[in-house]
Each structure stands twice: as structure tokens, then as C-alpha cells.
Amino acid sequence: MGVYSWWKQPSWMVGSQKRRMTPNLPWLLSALMLLHLSVQASSLKRGAIQSLKCTTSNMQVWDCTWTEPPGFSSGTVKEVCVRDRLRSCHRLETTNIKVAALSPGDHEVTVNYLNGFQSNFTLNEKDVSFIPDAPEVLSLSADFTTSTLHLKWTDKGSAFPYPLKATWEVKVLRHPRMETIKLASFNTTLNGRDTVHQWSWTSDLPLECAPHSVGIRRYINHHRFSGTKKWSAWSFLKNISWTPDSETNVFPQDKVILAGSDITFCCVSPTKVLSGQIGKTFCPLIHLYGENVAIRVQNISVSENSGTNVVFTTEDNVYGTVVFAGYPPDVPQKLNCETHDFKEIICSWNPGRPTGLVGPRNTDYILSESISGKSVVLKRFETLTNESCRLTFQMLPDQEVYNFTLTGHNPLGQAESVIFINVTERVAPHVPVSLKVKDINSTVVTLSWHLPGNFATINLLCQVEICKANSEQEVRSATIKGAEDSSYLLAVDRLNPYTVYTFRVRCSTETFWKWSRWSNEKRHLTSEATPLRGPDTWREWSSDGKNLIIYWKPLPISEANGKILSYNVSCSSNEETQSLSEILDPQHRAEMQLDKNNYIISVVAKNSAGPSPPSKIASMEIPNDDVIVEQAVGMGKRIFLTWHPDPNMTCDYVIKWCNSSRSEPCLMDWIKVPSNSTEAVIESDQFQPGVRYNFYLYGCTHQGYQLLRSIIGYIEELAPIVAPNFTVEDTSADSILVKWEDIPVEELRGFLRGYLFYFQKGERDTPKTRSFETGHSDIKLKNITDISQKTLRIADLQGKTSYHLVLRAYTHGGLGPEKSMFVVTKENSVGLIIAILIPVAVAVIVGVVTSILCYRKREWIKETFYPDIPNPENCKALQFQKSLCEGSSALKTLEMNPCTPNNVEVLESRSIVPKIEDTEIISPVAERPAESSEPDPENHVVVSYCPPIIEEEIANPTADEAGGTSQVVYIDVQSMYQPQAKPEEEQDSDPAVAAGYKPQMRLPINCAVEDTAAEDEADKAAGYRPQANVNTWNLVSPDSPRSTDSNSEIVSFGSPCSINSRQFLIPPKDDDSPKSNGGGWSFTNFFQNKPND
Amino acid sequence: MWTLLCSVPAPLCLLSLLPPLSPAAPISPSEPISQAYSLALYMQKNTSTLLQTYLQYQGSPFSDPGFSAPELQLSSLPPAAVSFKIWHAMDDAERLRQAQGAFLALTQHLQLVGDDQSDLNPGTPILLAQLGAARLRAQGLLGNMAAIMTALGLSIPPEEDTLGLVPFGASAFERKCRGYIVTREYGHWTDRAVRDLALLKAKYPA
């Protein structure tokens, strides 16, 4: 931009130096200076831009400054020349110069120092900075209730004669930290004159709680200026602070805010605040200026009615405020405007979402009508959650179309709904009142009611609801010319006489919008009319046939047309007429004495409006011989009858019925059926199940009634309640004839379908025959379906046997009770005879044959049963025994030694149970003594025993093991045969005998060593004697072949041992023993036992 | 926030200026004493209910269980708390006058609280009804006390506006606190009146 150059001339400075220096020295100095300046020039050239700085604040004057070159003190006088169109120079002492704005392009600026030092600059607009003046704040104010700052300043636009765009920046600082809490920028246009601008800012922190400062600066965008444009300096800061003017310490107070938003509460306190809370929630404290604190609440929830409390607590006090968080009004929903009476329009709506605000913060509504420009206001105070609101707008005369706007507003906002209506189409009349009914005649009435409202310009559409007891309601509509607050009349026809009706009315308009509510009901009884027809009539002749009883039925209400007061009855024939008049209503029967002529009976019912047409019936019936009696069964309380159409029957059919058990004249009721019918369902509450009814179908011709059919029937069949009474007519050895009687109709209770007859063998009172169990094989059942059958013969029975007979009757209703009887069949004599004769004959034949056989085989028999008894004299037994003893021991069994009783003193204690070998062989008789000895085990029992020889081989091995004494089989002979005990006792007296007990087994050995002569002694010494006394023996064994030789002690056969022990003393397989021995043993044994029995 | 000063009520200051007991006092003050005592007993049964109902509708922390802020006082309402020694040293006339002054202030304050609450809690007929009932009972007790004072030959101090200009423009929080103090003091004063009247009743048996 500028270049400093060193000029040799003309420079007074150089000249002055020249004067002071020597001629040589200047050269040196010049050289040094040149060197220095060249260095400096190059350095100046590099820093030329910094050296001359030009700014402008208004585009008209440039303010340029530069720095003195080195070596020049400030205040040095210099001449500054600026070359524009003209060259102007200024003599200055300062280093800045104000020049008028130069035209575009480079301009030379020369600074000439008096010493000749010269600096050249090139000045261009591009090098000039445009820095506007700092804005001037006119005022800063604060609205503490809203925490809003208002800043006012002037833009000094007059400084620029042409429009310019300006950008402003405002900063808000909060004490004490002076941090910038808000920096805002915005644009304006400078339009050539001074304009005051305003900026407002709402602080989230209430302004009361901390001082705030505000500064502003600007930036002007001068598009024609090619230099640098810069922000102005900040204006002076303006401060705002709150001076306490009340006792309020917490801010904001009673603020209404949108639920869900964030809010800061602060507390101005002279002392330390301990806590801050909103509702129940404690919040962290934000420390502000001094002891002032704040809490920040985010997403605040809807307050309760009395607001949300914010409380700050210090050591000695509490401070608080209330915040009301809610919502702006919802758009009014379901806005509807209508009129009830053409006088006022009622608009109703639903407020929608609750705002959560009540009292003075609640939503107010304004209903304004744009055509008329009128409006009404609804101020709500109480909380209305979701209730419908309504406003009443007075209708304007001659205005039918209304354009309503409903606006709801509260501290948080407003919302509106609009509705456009033609009021004539929005009429919902009030409920009709004062409904009255007036009779015209018995079928027509007039209704009148009052309807408030001015309906003069429209037609009303009204509905009458007509309600009759036990029938559907009927609604009739009518269009009525409207009137103003008038009563309306409507005739209602087609009603029934003497009927109670309930009327009610509602109205709308022809351009239907809504019905009014129904009016109150009005009950009305229409007036009477003459009865529609005569009563339903029937007649019966009395049982003696002299009197005719005339019956009639009361007329149904629908046909009576009023209250029937009396009846007139008249009977007329060709000759005479009898009449009974004024038979009062409850009586529906009259009796007249008539001969057998045919009379026409006429019955007339009368009410207050007059008599009915007569109903007529002939007194006589047309005979019919073809009537047969049929059966029918009904269902429930009904019975269904059908018949074939009969073209002769022109008037109608009559079915009458009666209980069959009643006496004549039998009439319970009757019905009439049209002549074209072929069926009828007869239904009566009087019908009872199990009761027989007679039904008669009559056809009506012009001559009179004729009986067509007679039916007996039951509504429902039941089981008989009694059993048929039956008797036994005849009884034989194999059959019974049973006869029974009919059951009376009353007890049958249905049509008899048959009988069930059961019979089985059985005695009276045996449980088996008490009842017949189903499926019992012994029971025989006969089902008698022929109900005319009254007898039954039961055949194929056994003679002289008791039979249980049961008879039951049954209907379709079930089985009746049973009647039972016991019958014994007669004895069968032939069979008895045969039964006796055959066994006798068989016995005789057997006897004869046996006799013959016995006779012819007598020798064999004798041989077999009674062989010759061998002579003991010829017995070679001793020899034989001797040789035998010498032989093998196996042949010992042939020694038929007499069983010599020995006395044994049993010394074992009771616990040692005698071992009894081969219990099968020991007979019960033999056992018993052993058992009987047990009760007195302590005593020394002296027993006679007979060692069974057969056991010898078996007993011996065991004897070796357990000792000889325990191997003995004891047989208490003594106890069994007392007489036999005596010889033993006698022997006991002999000491020698008593001392020596020897087993029987030893006897044969003794026999072997001693001679036969000594045998008797030896026997005596051993103390053994035959168990059976010989005398006794003889007595008891007369048949024994040895009985004759009673003294022989070695006789084996029939030995006393065998008598008592019943042991096989002789093994049956012994080849050597004679056969007869076995048989003889058997028989002896048999006969021996017999006397004992 | 208002911190309230327990200034000496005016009637107390005027006590020394009161004329001596009239010798022409009615014969039997026992009947109005008995009536006043019965009414005070009846009021006593409802005071805690009134306070609880009131707090219940003011939101937390007022409605928190066990809420109590004894430091809150109203300068326009004399506190019922008094040291037993002072109370015992009072004569009947002084006790009656203090109670009479307090219940006069209470009736006015209860009216004010009722108005505040119909603004803050417009949809709470229970609270408004209880406040109204309490005010009527306080007025009834005032009447009874006047009868006693007449029977005892004491002069009845004239009714004065205890509220003055203070209450209007109070913030919602102030109004809530004010209501709390009034309902609380209503209970305390009722308790004190029961004791005052019991003493009188013993002194003037039926």
C-alpha cells in the first residue's frame, strides 16, 4: 500500500544533518543509512498494510492511522498528501488523518517528514474497514411476572442515507458469574432515519432471583462498500435487577404452564436454603446470586385442583409458591345447536380432554354468531371433567340461519369449533304436556296436549302411541299445523269399545330432527257399544227328559263391548213362546220345562249400550244311528280330534265333553268349530290325567245339531291303581284255572291293554316268593293281551306243589299293582302208587336172587366167612416158633405172642411229648387214652401198654437215637377197659412182677432160651398178662374162633391187643398167615367194637 | 412469604380500661356456660377432621402424612398457645375476652379461607361445607360466650375487622398456608375454650 522511500532532496532533514556532519562522514553515514534504509524499506514494504489502517463508521469519512517510522517520535510534524482528483495536503502532528471517502481506485498517500523522509502509501477503498458505531441502548426493562426482558435501542439509520441491511446481536449475562446465558441475533433494515427497535426475551429463570445484564452490537452489510465490514463494538451493558417489593420470596408465583414443559423455580432468601421440593419430590438446588437458589423441574405433570406446591425450606422458615400445570382447551367436540321452542338456540358440546385447570384458570367459552354479531359467554368455575356444556343463544326474529363459533380459552391457549345451522331444521320440541282424552263415540276419541314454543311457521309431526292391554302398541303419526304456545287436538279412531287404552304423544317437525320425549301416559276407557254377537249357547235335556237346560258362555271382552248386565232367553216353537228375561250376568244357565216339540232357543246378552243379536239353537237333535264309540288319548292338557268333512254340516261343529263318571246331563264344556274345520284341539285346565272323558262331536245343519261321533279319551293314561281281583276256580294236580274280574273305569285310569300273569313255585312267606324278580328263571310269565279274556288255565304244574300266582293289569300308563295268591296243586295218586310199588318189587327180587345165590354158594360162603376153626390141639405153633426163633428175625412176625400187658411207669415230664409213630395206623380210639392222660401229667401214670409189634422195625432205629423209654407207644388200656385193669393191679401187688418190666420184644428171646414149660412162669415174672381178661374176652368175642381156648396165652389171633389197639397185629402181606386170619380179624374187630359203641 | 408477628391483641391492651364487673350481673350464668361447654366439646370432635380434610386438598407437602408447620403464624390471628402459668393466672373475664377475640377473628378468617378454597378447590363440596360449618360453630360459640359475659356482668367488646387489607392479592401458596394456620388455630382455640369453659363450669355449677 504504501512505500517509504528515501529522497536525497529536497529534505530539510537531510539538509540539517548535512550541516552537522563532516564531508567524509556523510558518505559513510550515507552508506550506512542506505544500508539501513534498504533493510528498513524492505521491512516497511512488508508491513505496509499494518502501517496505514483506515476505518470508517459511516462510509463518508475514513479514519486512517499509521505508525511513525522508527526514529520519529510521536508528534513529529509531517505533511500528508492524498492524491484524489485533487491533491490535498495536510500538515499534521498526529498519526491519523480523517479523509473524506475517496472514490474507488488506488490513491496515493504521501507522508513527508520535514527531514525529507517520505512515506508513500497507496490507499484503496478495499483496504478500509467498515466498523459501525456501537448501538445505543435506549432502555432495558423487565416484566418480572413473565420473566421477560425488553430491550429498546435506536439503529441510527440516519447515518446512512440509503437502505442498508443490519444484523444485530444481543447478549444477556447473568450475575454473578456474568456468563452469557442468551446470545440472539436478528436482522433489520436501516432506512435512512433513526428507528427504535425492541427485543424481548423470556428467561427460564425468574428474573427476580439474579441480576441480568444486556449488551448489543451490530453489523451493517453495505453492499456497495468494497472494504472489510466488521461488527460494531458492544454497547454499554445495561443491568436489570429486582428490588423486593413484597413478602414473596419464591418465583414464579401462581404460574399456569403447559403440562409436560420444563420450569425453573427460584427462591430469594437472605439465609441459606436447605431444600427445595415440588410436591413430594426434592430437587437439587442450583445456587444463584447470594443465597438465592433455584430448582429445575422437567416434564411437569398435570396439577391437582389446588395446584402443585413448590416449597423451599430454610432453617427458620419455609417459602413456597404454587404452579398450575395443565393443558390448553381441547377443541370443543360434538358441538350441536338446536332449539326446543323457536325462542332460543341451545348449543351443547363436549369440552374434550380435561385441562386440569379449575377455578379462575378454567376454560371460558364464548359462543359468537357471525351473522348477527352477537355472542354469549360461559364462565365455568368448577371442575367439569367430561360433562357436556351448554350455552343458550336467544333467537333473533327473521333469522333462520346461524353461523356459530364456539371459542374456549384458558391461560394456556384457546380452541374453537364452528357450526352452521338452519334453525328450522334443528327443532327438538319440548315434551308435550297436559295430555287429555275425550270420547267422541265408542271407537273414536280426541287427544289434546299442550306444546310450548313458537311453531307458527312450521308444521309439527306428532306421534300417538296407543296401548291396549295384552296387545302390541300401535303408533299413529299425524302432521299438525304449528302454532305459538298452543294446545293441539288429534282425533284417534278405530278403537275398540269399552277398552282401556293408554295414550302418549311426542312431536317433531316436518323437517325431522329429533323427537321430543314421550309425554306422560294417559289411560282412557272407551265407551260401551252393543255386544257384537249373542253368547255361545248349548242345551241339554235333563235326566228325566222334561226340562231343557240352556247353557251359554260369557262373551269375551272383545265381543261384549261393555259390561254384560243380563241375558234374555226365549224358546219359541210354532205354537208357543216362553221367555226368561233379565237373567243377571254371573248366571250362564237357564232351565225351561218344554215338551218334546222342537223349539228354537234364543239367547241375547245385554249391556248398557243395548242387546246383542240373538244366538239360536234348536232344542232337538237330529238322530244318528251310526255313531260308534272311539278312543283317543291326548297330550299334556290337550286332546286332538279329527273328523272327515261333511258337506251337510253348514253352520259349525260343536264338540262337547264331560267326565264319563258323571251322571247325566253330562256337560263340562263345549266348543264351536267352524264348519270348514276337520280337526279341533280341545284344551281345558279341568282335564286331569287318568280320568276318562267322553267327547261328542255334533254337526250343525239348518235343522239342528246331529251327533256325529262319540269318543272316549284320556288326556293322559296312567297305570291302574288297583290290581284285578282274581280267584282260583279250579285246581288239579298239574293245572290251575284262574278267573278275574274287570277293574272299574275310575281305577283303571287308562285304556286297559292287557294283563300280566306270573307264577312260580313258592310257599307263602318264603322270601323267594315274596316278589318276582325280573329275569328269574323260575318265574313263568303270561302276557294276556286279549282284554276280553277273563280266565286262564295254567297247565304243566307239579302236583302237591305250592304256587305263587300274581296278576297285574296294565295300560299305556304303566303296570298296575299286583295281586298275588298261593295255590297248592292236588296230589298225583298214580305216581305215588308207582313210587311205592317199584321199590318194593325191586327189593323182593333182590331178596329172592340173593337167597338163591346164597343157597347155591353156601359152601363157598361158609369157607369164606366161617371156615372151620382149627383145633388147638393140633397146633404146632411151639415147634414152629422155635424153629422160627432160630431163623431170620424177619419171620418174627409170625410169632403171635399174646400181647402181654406191661406196667410202665412213665416218668417223663409233660413237655416230653410221647412220640407217636405212624399216626395213621394208630386209631382215634387208641389215641384218646394218651390224650386223656395229659390233664394230669405230674402224676405217675401207670399205664398198661401193648407194644405194637408192627412197629418194631420202625421203632428200633429211633429207639437207638433217643433212648428206649421214649420210643414206647403208650396205650392207656386201663382207662379204656377198667375191668382189664384189675389183673394188672393184682400183678402190681407182686413186687417181683412190679419190679420187672420187660419189653415185649424180649419175650420171644426169653422164649427161645427157656423151655416151654417155664413159659408160664416167665410170663408171670415179666408181669405180662393178656390185656383182655379171658372171661371178658369170651364175652366180648363170642365169634372168635379162639374164644373157646381162653387160657391160651400165645394165641395171636383175636388177641386182646388187637381189641384195644386196633392194630394190624398180623401184617396183611404175610404169606404164611392164613387168609382167613385177615378176614377174621376184620370181622372180629368189627363185632368187637360194636358192644363198645 | 409472610412471617407473622405475634403482636399483642388490641383487646388485651384495653383490658385495664374495662369497667369493673357490674354488680347487677344475672343470677345464673351456669346455663350459657353449660351450653357453650357442650358446643365447644362438640366442636372439639370435628377440629382434627377439618384440619385433615383441609390439608388433604392442598396437595403435597400439605397433604403428606404428619404435615406440621408450627412456625407459620398469622399476625391477624392470635395464637392459642399460651404458657400454663399465664393462662392459670388469668381471671375468667380475661380468658373469656381472649377466647372471644380469637373466635371473632376465627370466624372472619374461616370465611376468608372458604373463599380461598372455593377458588383453589372449587369442586370440593366436602371441604367447603366443613369450613362453613366450622365458621357457623365458631359464631355460635361467640354467641354463647357473649351470653356468659352478659351473665357474668362483663362488657362485650365490639366486633372489629381483624383481617383488614391483608388477605387480598395473596398468592395461592399464601392462601394455602393461611388456611392451614386458620384451621390449625381453630382447633387449638377450641381446645383452649373447652378448658376455659370447663373451669367456668366448675366455678358456676348448674
Side-chain angles (χ1 to χ4, degrees), chain A residues 512-556:
Chain A
F512 179 80
W513 169 244
K514 277 179 187 172
W515 286 113
S516 69
R517 283 186 292 117
W518 283 106
S519 69
N520 289 336
E521 290 183 343
K522 189 78 180 173
R523 281 167 65 87
H524 182 75
L525 175 65
T526 50
S527 56
E528 291 190 13
T530 55
L532 272 182
R533 61 175 180 87
D536 194 355
T537 310
W538 191 247
R539 76 283 174 272
E540 290 284 321
W541 284 98
S542 64
S543 51
D544 58 3
K546 290 177 181 172
N547 288 349
L548 186 70
I549 307 164
I550 300 139
Y551 304 91
W552 62 91
K553 292 184 180 178
L555 283 168

Coordinates of all heavy atoms in Angstrom, one line a residue, chain A residues 512-556:
Chain A
F512 N -87.7 -33.3 9.9 CA -87.4 -34.1 11.1 C -86.0 -33.9 11.6 O -85.0 -34.0 10.8 CB -87.7 -35.6 10.9 CG -87.4 -36.4 12.1 CD1 -88.3 -36.5 13.1 CD2 -86.2 -37.1 12.3 CE1 -88.1 -37.2 14.2 CE2 -86.0 -37.8 13.4 CZ -86.9 -37.9 14.4
W513 N -85.9 -33.6 12.9 CA -84.5 -33.5 13.5 C -84.5 -34.5 14.7 O -83.7 -35.4 14.7 CB -84.2 -32.1 14.0 CG -83.0 -31.9 14.9 CD1 -83.0 -31.5 16.1 CD2 -81.7 -32.2 14.5 NE1 -81.8 -31.5 16.6 CE2 -80.9 -31.9 15.7 CE3 -81.0 -32.7 13.4 CZ2 -79.5 -32.1 15.7 CZ3 -79.7 -32.8 13.4 CH2 -78.9 -32.5 14.6
K514 N -85.4 -34.3 15.6 CA -85.4 -35.2 16.8 C -86.8 -35.2 17.3 O -87.6 -34.2 17.2 CB -84.5 -34.6 17.9 CG -83.1 -35.0 17.8 CD -82.3 -34.4 19.0 CE -80.9 -34.6 18.9 NZ -80.1 -33.8 19.9
W515 N -87.2 -36.4 17.8 CA -88.4 -36.5 18.5 C -88.3 -35.8 19.9 O -87.2 -35.9 20.5 CB -88.9 -37.9 18.7 CG -89.3 -38.6 17.5 CD1 -88.7 -39.6 16.8 CD2 -90.6 -38.3 16.8 NE1 -89.5 -40.0 15.7 CE2 -90.6 -39.2 15.7 CE3 -91.6 -37.4 17.0 CZ2 -91.7 -39.2 14.8 CZ3 -92.7 -37.4 16.1 CH2 -92.7 -38.3 15.0
S516 N -89.4 -35.3 20.4 CA -89.4 -34.9 21.8 C -89.5 -36.1 22.6 O -89.7 -37.2 22.1 CB -90.7 -34.0 22.0 OG -91.8 -34.8 21.9
R517 N -89.3 -36.0 23.9 CA -89.6 -37.2 24.7 C -91.1 -37.4 24.7 O -91.9 -36.6 24.4 CB -89.1 -36.9 26.2 CG -87.6 -37.0 26.3 CD -87.1 -36.9 27.7 NE -87.4 -35.5 28.3 CZ -88.2 -35.2 29.3 NH1 -88.8 -36.2 29.9 NH2 -88.3 -34.0 29.7
W518 N -91.4 -38.7 25.1 CA -92.9 -39.0 25.1 C -93.5 -38.3 26.3 O -92.9 -38.1 27.3 CB -93.0 -40.5 25.4 CG -92.8 -41.4 24.1 CD1 -91.7 -42.2 23.9 CD2 -93.7 -41.6 23.0 NE1 -91.8 -42.8 22.7 CE2 -93.0 -42.5 22.1 CE3 -94.9 -41.0 22.7 CZ2 -93.6 -42.9 20.9 CZ3 -95.5 -41.4 21.5 CH2 -94.8 -42.3 20.6
S519 N -94.7 -37.9 26.0 CA -95.5 -37.2 27.1 C -95.8 -38.3 28.2 O -95.6 -39.5 28.0 CB -96.8 -36.6 26.6 OG -97.6 -37.7 26.2
N520 N -96.4 -37.8 29.3 CA -96.9 -38.8 30.3 C -98.0 -39.6 29.6 O -98.7 -39.1 28.8 CB -97.4 -38.0 31.5 CG -96.2 -37.4 32.3 OD1 -95.1 -37.9 32.2 ND2 -96.5 -36.4 33.0
E521 N -98.2 -40.8 30.2 CA -99.2 -41.7 29.6 C -100.6 -41.2 30.2 O -100.7 -40.7 31.3 CB -99.0 -43.1 30.0 CG -97.7 -43.7 29.3 CD -97.6 -45.1 29.7 OE1 -98.1 -45.6 30.7 OE2 -96.8 -45.8 28.9
K522 N -101.6 -41.5 29.4 CA -102.9 -41.2 29.8 C -103.8 -42.4 29.5 O -103.9 -42.9 28.4 CB -103.5 -40.0 29.0 CG -104.8 -39.4 29.5 CD -104.6 -38.6 30.7 CE -105.9 -38.1 31.2 NZ -105.7 -37.4 32.5
R523 N -104.4 -42.9 30.6 CA -105.3 -44.1 30.4 C -106.7 -43.6 30.1 O -107.2 -42.7 30.7 CB -105.2 -44.9 31.7 CG -104.0 -45.8 31.8 CD -103.9 -46.4 33.2 NE -105.0 -47.3 33.5 CZ -105.0 -48.6 33.2 NH1 -104.0 -49.1 32.6 NH2 -106.1 -49.3 33.5
H524 N -107.3 -44.4 29.3 CA -108.7 -44.0 29.0 C -109.5 -45.2 28.6 O -109.0 -46.1 27.9 CB -108.7 -43.0 27.8 CG -110.1 -42.6 27.4 ND1 -110.8 -41.6 28.1 CD2 -110.9 -42.9 26.4 CE1 -112.0 -41.4 27.6 NE2 -112.1 -42.2 26.5
L525 N -110.7 -45.3 29.1 CA -111.7 -46.4 28.8 C -112.7 -45.9 27.8 O -113.4 -44.9 28.1 CB -112.4 -46.9 30.1 CG -113.4 -47.9 29.9 CD1 -112.8 -49.2 29.4 CD2 -114.2 -48.2 31.3
T526 N -112.7 -46.5 26.7 CA -113.7 -46.1 25.6 C -115.1 -46.5 26.1 O -115.3 -47.4 26.9 CB -113.3 -46.7 24.3 OG1 -113.2 -48.1 24.4 CG2 -112.1 -46.1 23.7
S527 N -116.0 -45.8 25.5 CA -117.4 -46.0 26.0 C -117.9 -47.4 25.4 O -117.4 -47.9 24.5 CB -118.3 -44.9 25.5 OG -118.2 -44.7 24.1
E528 N -119.1 -47.8 25.9 CA -119.6 -49.1 25.6 C -120.4 -49.1 24.3 O -120.9 -48.0 23.9 CB -120.6 -49.6 26.7 CG -119.8 -50.0 28.0 CD -120.7 -50.7 28.9 OE1 -121.8 -51.1 28.5 OE2 -120.3 -50.8 30.1
A529 N -120.5 -50.3 23.6 CA -121.3 -50.4 22.4 C -122.1 -51.7 22.6 O -121.7 -52.5 23.5 CB -120.4 -50.5 21.2
T530 N -123.1 -51.9 21.8 CA -123.9 -53.2 21.9 C -123.0 -54.4 21.7 O -122.1 -54.3 20.8 CB -125.1 -53.2 21.0 OG1 -124.6 -53.0 19.7 CG2 -126.0 -52.1 21.3
P531 N -123.2 -55.5 22.3 CA -122.4 -56.7 22.1 C -122.4 -57.1 20.6 O -123.4 -56.9 19.9 CB -123.0 -57.7 23.0 CG -123.8 -57.0 24.0 CD -124.2 -55.7 23.4
L532 N -121.3 -57.6 20.2 CA -121.1 -57.9 18.8 C -122.0 -59.1 18.4 O -122.6 -59.1 17.3 CB -119.7 -58.3 18.5 CG -118.7 -57.2 18.1 CD1 -117.4 -57.8 17.8 CD2 -119.2 -56.4 16.9
R533 N -122.2 -60.1 19.2 CA -123.0 -61.2 18.9 C -123.6 -61.8 20.1 O -123.2 -61.4 21.2 CB -122.1 -62.3 18.2 CG -120.9 -62.8 19.0 CD -120.2 -63.9 18.3 NE -119.1 -64.4 19.2 CZ -119.2 -65.3 20.1 NH1 -120.4 -65.9 20.3 NH2 -118.2 -65.7 20.8
G534 N -124.5 -62.8 19.9 CA -125.1 -63.4 21.1 C -124.1 -64.4 21.7 O -123.1 -64.8 21.0
P535 N -124.4 -64.8 22.9 CA -123.5 -65.7 23.5 C -123.5 -67.1 22.9 O -124.5 -67.5 22.3 CB -124.0 -65.8 25.0 CG -125.3 -65.2 25.0 CD -125.5 -64.4 23.8
D536 N -122.4 -67.8 23.1 CA -122.3 -69.2 22.6 C -123.2 -70.1 23.4 O -123.1 -70.1 24.7 CB -120.8 -69.6 22.8 CG -120.4 -70.8 22.0 OD1 -121.3 -71.4 21.4 OD2 -119.2 -71.1 22.1
T537 N -124.1 -70.8 22.8 CA -125.2 -71.4 23.5 C -125.2 -72.9 23.3 O -124.8 -73.4 22.2 CB -126.6 -70.8 23.0 OG1 -126.5 -69.4 23.1 CG2 -127.7 -71.3 23.9
W538 N -125.6 -73.7 24.3 CA -125.8 -75.1 24.1 C -127.0 -75.5 25.0 O -127.4 -74.7 25.9 CB -124.5 -75.9 24.5 CG -124.6 -77.3 24.2 CD1 -124.6 -78.4 25.0 CD2 -124.6 -77.9 22.9 NE1 -124.6 -79.6 24.4 CE2 -124.6 -79.3 23.0 CE3 -124.6 -77.4 21.6 CZ2 -124.7 -80.2 21.9 CZ3 -124.6 -78.2 20.5 CH2 -124.7 -79.6 20.7
R539 N -127.5 -76.7 24.8 CA -128.6 -77.1 25.6 C -128.5 -78.6 25.8 O -127.9 -79.3 25.0 CB -130.0 -76.7 24.9 CG -130.4 -77.6 23.8 CD -129.6 -77.3 22.5 NE -129.8 -78.2 21.4 CZ -129.2 -79.3 21.2 NH1 -128.3 -79.7 22.0 NH2 -129.4 -80.0 20.2
E540 N -129.0 -79.0 26.9 CA -129.1 -80.4 27.3 C -130.4 -80.7 27.9 O -131.0 -79.9 28.6 CB -128.0 -80.8 28.3 CG -126.6 -80.7 27.8 CD -126.2 -81.9 27.0 OE1 -126.6 -83.0 27.3 OE2 -125.5 -81.7 26.0
W541 N -130.9 -81.9 27.6 CA -132.1 -82.3 28.3 C -131.8 -82.8 29.7 O -130.8 -83.4 29.9 CB -132.9 -83.3 27.5 CG -133.6 -82.8 26.3 CD1 -133.1 -82.7 25.0 CD2 -134.8 -82.1 26.3 NE1 -133.9 -82.1 24.2 CE2 -135.0 -81.7 24.9 CE3 -135.8 -81.8 27.2 CZ2 -136.2 -81.0 24.5 CZ3 -136.9 -81.1 26.8 CH2 -137.1 -80.7 25.5
S542 N -132.6 -82.5 30.6 CA -132.4 -83.0 32.0 C -132.5 -84.5 31.9 O -133.1 -85.1 31.0 CB -133.3 -82.4 32.9 OG -134.7 -82.7 32.6
S543 N -132.1 -85.2 33.0 CA -132.1 -86.6 33.0 C -133.5 -87.2 32.9 O -133.7 -88.3 32.3 CB -131.4 -87.1 34.3 OG -132.0 -86.5 35.4
D544 N -134.4 -86.5 33.4 CA -135.8 -87.0 33.3 C -136.4 -86.6 31.9 O -137.6 -87.1 31.6 CB -136.7 -86.5 34.4 CG -136.7 -85.0 34.5 OD1 -136.1 -84.3 33.6 OD2 -137.3 -84.4 35.4
G545 N -135.8 -85.8 31.1 CA -136.2 -85.5 29.8 C -137.4 -84.5 29.8 O -137.9 -84.3 28.7
K546 N -137.6 -83.9 30.9 CA -138.7 -83.0 30.9 C -138.2 -81.5 30.7 O -138.9 -80.7 30.1 CB -139.5 -83.1 32.2 CG -140.3 -84.4 32.3 CD -141.0 -84.5 33.6 CE -141.8 -85.8 33.7 NZ -142.3 -86.0 35.1
N547 N -137.1 -81.3 31.2 CA -136.6 -79.9 31.2 C -135.5 -79.8 30.2 O -134.6 -80.7 30.1 CB -136.1 -79.5 32.6 CG -137.3 -79.3 33.6 OD1 -138.4 -79.3 33.2 ND2 -137.0 -79.2 34.8
L548 N -135.4 -78.6 29.6 CA -134.3 -78.3 28.8 C -133.4 -77.3 29.5 O -133.9 -76.3 30.0 CB -134.8 -77.7 27.4 CG -133.7 -77.5 26.4 CD1 -133.1 -78.9 25.9 CD2 -134.1 -76.7 25.3
I549 N -132.2 -77.7 29.7 CA -131.3 -76.8 30.3 C -130.5 -76.1 29.3 O -129.9 -76.7 28.4 CB -130.3 -77.6 31.3 CG1 -131.1 -78.5 32.2 CG2 -129.4 -76.6 32.1 CD1 -130.3 -79.5 32.9
I550 N -130.5 -74.8 29.3 CA -129.9 -74.0 28.3 C -128.6 -73.4 29.0 O -128.7 -72.8 30.0 CB -130.8 -72.8 27.8 CG1 -132.0 -73.5 27.2 CG2 -130.1 -72.0 26.8 CD1 -133.3 -72.7 27.6
Y551 N -127.5 -73.6 28.3 CA -126.2 -73.1 28.8 C -125.7 -72.0 27.8 O -125.9 -72.2 26.6 CB -125.1 -74.2 28.9 CG -125.5 -75.4 29.7 CD1 -126.1 -76.5 29.2 CD2 -125.1 -75.4 31.1 CE1 -126.4 -77.6 29.9 CE2 -125.4 -76.5 31.8 CZ -126.0 -77.6 31.3 OH -126.3 -78.7 32.0
W552 N -125.0 -71.0 28.3 CA -124.3 -70.1 27.4 C -123.1 -69.7 28.1 O -122.9 -69.7 29.3 CB -125.2 -69.0 27.0 CG -125.7 -68.1 28.1 CD1 -125.1 -67.0 28.6 CD2 -126.9 -68.3 28.9 NE1 -125.8 -66.5 29.6 CE2 -126.9 -67.2 29.8 CE3 -127.9 -69.2 28.9 CZ2 -127.9 -67.1 30.7 CZ3 -129.0 -69.1 29.8 CH2 -128.9 -68.0 30.7
K553 N -122.2 -69.2 27.2 CA -120.9 -68.8 27.7 C -120.9 -67.3 27.8 O -121.5 -66.6 26.9 CB -119.8 -69.3 26.8 CG -119.6 -70.8 26.8 CD -118.4 -71.1 26.0 CE -118.2 -72.6 26.0 NZ -117.1 -73.0 25.1
P554 N -120.1 -66.7 28.7 CA -120.0 -65.3 28.7 C -119.2 -64.8 27.5 O -118.4 -65.5 27.0 CB -119.2 -65.0 30.0 CG -118.5 -66.3 30.3 CD -119.4 -67.4 29.8
L555 N -119.6 -63.7 27.0 CA -119.0 -63.2 25.8 C -117.6 -62.7 26.2 O -117.3 -62.1 27.2 CB -119.8 -62.0 25.2 CG -121.0 -62.4 24.5 CD1 -121.9 -61.1 24.2 CD2 -120.7 -63.0 23.2
P556 N -116.6 -62.9 25.3 CA -115.3 -62.4 25.5 C -115.4 -60.8 25.5 O -116.3 -60.3 24.9 CB -114.4 -62.9 24.4 CG -115.4 -63.3 23.3 CD -116.7 -63.7 24.0

